Amino acid sequence: MQHGPVVRRRKLGAELRALRTTAGFTSGEAARLVGWHQSKVSRIETGTSGAKPADVRLLLDAYGVADDQLRELLVMLARPEDTGGRPHWWHAYRGVLPTAYRDFIDLESQASAMRTLETTVIPGLLQTPEYAREVTRVAGDGRTAEQLDTLVEVRLARQDVLRGEPPLELSAVLDEAVLRRQVGGAGVMARQLARLSEAARLPHVRLQVLPFAAGAHIGVTGPFVIFSFASTSDLDVVVIDHLTSSLHLERKEDIEAYTEAFNALLIHALSPEDSLDFIAATAAGA
């Protein structure tokens, strides 16, 4: 993780693999050209390990890549990303957090924008401590009280991205079920809905409710997150969570499909202003 988020490593690796193939070299031949072991080339191409800018330049020279713009982009991918004052704090929890969760936090901390559809629970970046504790508790039976405390601490620490300079731009579509589900009881939900209303008024947070009255919609297939990065749209990635793992989609076609789906959801959802009224009415028991 020293050389940037997982998406940057995978993107860089895929580009280098394509350039090697175009140049007509096997990974073993490429390794011999630059004086490395074949396993190093393989680890870089699969995104298992990062590459330093000097490593990238060496490979590009070996492959005869003369396009200055392409070279600059690939070298940029190898540089450590500026986290905007948000250090990689989650490394201290690597003995507790699953790899997929660490990768998600890595993406979240370095993204410039996040678009998310939630169909079951409040987005983690907008959860109150009480709500976060209840969601974490039911998601992992058998955890000790100490482990539960740690995971809640991590979830709340993630919310610093909304207070950074610049802050993460968050656009969230919430299915009405998210607001209706009584997580932790009436008191917890009342405070959680108040927190949602507060967050929705932030200039960098756009919150829209997708009411039951909207009927069937493209989001019925499940929640997803789209991360975007300030440096280039080529780094955008979709994350879909499963019970035991996460799926990362990076192909241009996948990004376009999920972007179109999210835009369609925005059309069917209530406006941000009407969504605030809807949340207030839900909190009042309407």
Side-chain angles (χ1 to χ4, degrees):
M1 305 264 284
Q2 296 98 317
H3 301 293
V6 64
V7 66
R8 294 164 67 90
R9 294 201 311 269
R10 288 200 304 271
K11 178 67 175 176
L12 175 60
E15 294 291 343
L16 290 174
R17 182 171 60 252
L19 290 170
R20 172 179 60 76
T21 301
T22 299
F25 299 124
T26 65
S27 58
E29 290 169 339
R32 286 192 292 274
L33 281 173
V34 296
W36 298 346
H37 192 280
Q38 181 179 357
S39 62
K40 180 173 180 178
V41 174
S42 297
R43 289 196 303 271
I44 289 174
E45 289 185 352
T46 58
T48 305
S49 64
K52 298 177 181 177
D55 294 337
V56 173
R57 294 190 185 96
L58 197 60
L59 290 173
L60 295 178
D61 289 342
Y63 302 157
V65 178
D67 185 327
D68 289 338
Q69 186 175 2
L70 177 59
R71 290 178 67 97
E72 182 179 353
L73 172 63
L74 296 182
V75 169
M76 181 274 294
L77 291 179
R79 292 195 184 104
E81 179 77 358
D82 179 6
T83 59
R86 301 189 294 268
H88 294 180
W89 53 267
W90 60 91
H91 287 189
Y93 299 94
R94 58 183 175 270
V96 178
L97 303 180
T99 300
Y101 193 19
R102 294 203 307 272
D103 284 348
F104 184 90
I105 298 173
D106 196 4
L107 291 169
E108 185 178 71
S109 72
Q110 300 200 42
S112 59
M114 174 180 174
R115 288 163 287 176
T116 181
L117 165 68
E118 287 292 350
T119 58
T120 54
V121 295
I122 302 294
L125 294 182
L126 303 177
Q127 292 178 6
T128 64
E130 297 169 297
Y131 187 100
R133 175 172 293 277
E134 183 63 13
V135 169
T136 304
R137 183 188 67 78
V138 299
D141 290 339
R143 290 192 176 115
T144 66
E146 183 178 0
Q147 290 172 326
L148 181 59
D149 288 343
T150 298
L151 290 173
V152 172
E153 181 180 321
V154 168
R155 181 158 301 195
L156 298 179
R158 284 172 46 203
Q159 297 177 3
D160 282 346
V161 296
L162 295 177
R163 296 184 284 268
E165 289 295 338
L168 178 75
E169 297 284 340
L170 175 63
S171 179
V173 174
L174 307 183
D175 191 90
E176 182 177 342
V178 173
L179 308 180
R180 299 291 184 189
R181 181 168 288 106
Q182 291 290 306
V183 175
V188 171
M189 283 307 299
R191 289 183 285 275
Q192 177 60 76
L193 293 178
R195 165 64 179 140
L196 270 187
S197 295
E198 175 187 331
R201 290 180 170 85
L202 295 173
H204 52 282
V205 174
R206 181 185 179 94
L207 194 62
Q208 293 182 241
V209 174
L210 193 61
F212 292 149
H217 53 77
I218 197 167
V220 296
T221 55
F224 59 86
V225 175
I226 307 173
F227 286 115
S228 298
F229 299 85
S231 51
T232 172
S233 61
D234 286 344
L235 298 181
D236 287 5
V237 59
V238 173
V239 181
I240 303 172
D241 274 336
H242 301 292
L243 182 61
T244 59
S245 64
S246 294
L247 176 65
H248 292 70
L249 304 177
E250 302 169 53
R251 295 190 313 158
K252 182 179 180 180
E253 307 93 291
D254 293 327
I255 302 299
E256 289 177 347
Y258 276 87
T259 297
E260 289 176 5
F262 190 80
N263 290 339
L265 291 169
L266 293 179
I267 294 173
H268 290 92
L270 301 176
S271 69
E273 295 75 20
D274 288 343
S275 294
L276 272 173
D277 292 340
F278 192 94
I279 292 170
T282 303

